[in-house]
């Protein structure tokens, strides 16, 4: 599902809301999650999961074509851990 499909489903489920309002709500939620992660915070949505940021230290990698060693700089990457309710729902419990 892409963001526009999510918005369309929410509009169908809530006919009393305008599409532009639903779109603004969805964009605001995503923006707040992004801002919190950029600030180094953790975002937890109970029953769904938790978003956090993991630190990956620098390392020496290899170019697969040439075999040449390449220094890969350190970076921060987003990480998502599913919540218990979501995991149980996916596994049919």
């Amino acid at each position: 599902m892409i963001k526009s499909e999510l918005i369309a489903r929410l509009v169908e489920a809530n006919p009393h809301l305008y599409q532009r309002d639903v779109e603004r709500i969805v964009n605001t939620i995503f923006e707040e999650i992004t801002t919190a992660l950029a600030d180094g915070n953790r975002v937890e949505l109970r029953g769904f999961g938790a978003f956090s940021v993991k630190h990956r230290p620098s390392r020496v990698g290899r170019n697969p074509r040439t075999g040449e060693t390449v220094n890969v700089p350190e970076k921060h990457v987003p990480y998502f851990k599913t919540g218990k309710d979501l995991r149980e729902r996916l596994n049919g419990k």
Side-chain angles (χ1 to χ4, degrees):
M1 175 183 297
I2 59 176
K3 187 164 55 167
S4 60
E5 292 172 343
L6 173 64
I7 292 168
R9 284 194 185 181
L10 290 172
V11 168
E12 287 176 18
N14 299 285
H16 60 283
L17 296 174
Y18 293 112
Q19 180 173 346
R20 67 177 183 268
D21 293 336
V22 173
E23 189 171 346
R24 190 176 308 138
I25 291 167
V26 170
N27 287 333
T28 302
I29 290 170
F30 289 155
E31 186 62 35
E32 288 299 318
I33 291 171
T34 303
T35 302
L37 292 176
D39 292 341
N41 297 323
R42 182 174 185 267
V43 177
E44 182 177 338
L45 304 172
R46 293 286 169 124
F48 182 71
F51 297 92
S52 60
V53 178
K54 297 264 183 173
H55 176 261
R56 288 197 182 158
S58 61
R59 62 184 174 86
V60 176
R62 294 203 179 274
N63 181 331
R65 283 191 185 173
T66 63
E68 179 184 354
T69 60
V70 179
N71 289 325
V72 179
E74 69 176 21
K75 56 185 157 187
H76 293 88
V77 293
Y79 176 75
F80 178 74
K81 181 177 180 185
T82 58
K84 182 180 176 186
D85 293 343
L86 176 59
R87 214 173 18 256
E88 287 177 353
R89 191 167 178 185
L90 291 175
N91 292 315
K93 291 185 180 180

